[in-house]
Amino acid sequence: MKPKPTDPGSLLLSAIRAHMELGTTEVIVERRKRTTSGTKSTTIVAESPVMAAIPPSLDMIELPEIQKRQFKSLGDHCEAINKCQLCELGATRNKFVYGVGNPQAKLMFIGEAPGAEEDRRGEPFVGRAGQLLDQILLAIKFTRQDIYIANILKCRPPNNRDPLPEEMNKCTPYLNEQIRIIEPKLICLLGRIAAQALLKTSTPLGKLRGHWHEHNGVPVLVTYHPAALLRFPAYKKETWEDVQKLRARYDELG
Ligand code: SF4
């Protein structure tokens, strides 16, 4: 029999799914049971099987020539790499999704990879998650013209599966060149995949978010991916706290 969405088993399953999405390793679910003497509450703690696949250090990888070159502008760089076939996603993409925004932005947002709509239009964060990101930006008084948005991967993984470590290894040098050209003063990483890949860590997202880290000398704040907020609206409160922190640090830049 199909379980009711409110039964404890379903609640536990959905909590595990939620925490897998968010990269935490511990799941806590409260189970409430009605009895003749009132409502009893017990807590279930379970281990999520999440452990992200972390790409090895890029220092250990021999880069292709195109990734050793330094470019004068984002346009030159995009022009040079937009036919890339370094990993198998080059064969399945519809459009190469380089990045969008202000080439002199002080603040960069970085997600994990293009989705279906991004792959169709060649622009990052243009689906439902992108619309939510626009609302978040607006709430902290930014527009897309103020910032720059990119992803770890430039091509869409089929069926929106997680990027594979070898795909991230091959694509991250492109992102690093974008960062080198833009010279942002702050970076905001959206979601577990982007955070773990760029910070080279397997620390769960729940522990990374809301804190300042560093990538090549640039202060980095981690928060939830807007797509996760669409599935788990309860995380909007923490995201709001994170982006206010981001705005305050941005304002300190002068
Ligand atoms: S995902 Fe990155 S490395 Fe793979 S083909 Fe696309 S641009 Fe090249």
Side-chain angles (χ1 to χ4, degrees), residues 130-195:
Q131 288 162 15
L132 181 53
L133 178 62
D134 286 341
Q135 288 174 16
I136 293 169
L137 292 175
L138 203 60
I140 50 169
K141 300 184 172 53
F142 286 121
T143 67
R144 287 203 179 206
Q145 287 70 49
D146 299 318
I147 59 157
Y148 196 90
I149 308 175
N151 282 309
I152 300 283
L153 294 189
K154 310 294 179 220
C155 309
R156 182 195 182 202
N159 303 316
N160 292 347
R161 65 156 169 75
D162 283 355
L164 301 175
E166 58 266 32
E167 293 163 354
M168 292 192 278
N169 287 340
K170 287 183 174 158
C171 216
T172 302
Y174 292 148
L175 176 65
N176 281 331
E177 179 61 2
Q178 286 174 290
I179 295 171
R180 192 197 64 79
I181 296 168
I182 296 168
E183 293 185 292
K185 303 288 178 272
L186 300 172
I187 292 174
C188 181
L189 297 176
L190 300 167
R192 172 177 63 88
I193 303 268

Side-chain angles (χ1 to χ4, degrees), residues 67 81 84-91 93 96 152-155 167 170-171 174:
Q67 293 183 330
I81 67 170
C84 177
Q85 296 288 335
L86 281 178
C87 80
E88 61 185 28
L89 299 181
R93 71 172 171 242
F96 179 88
I152 300 283
L153 294 189
K154 310 294 179 220
C155 309
E167 293 163 354
K170 287 183 174 158
C171 216
Y174 292 148

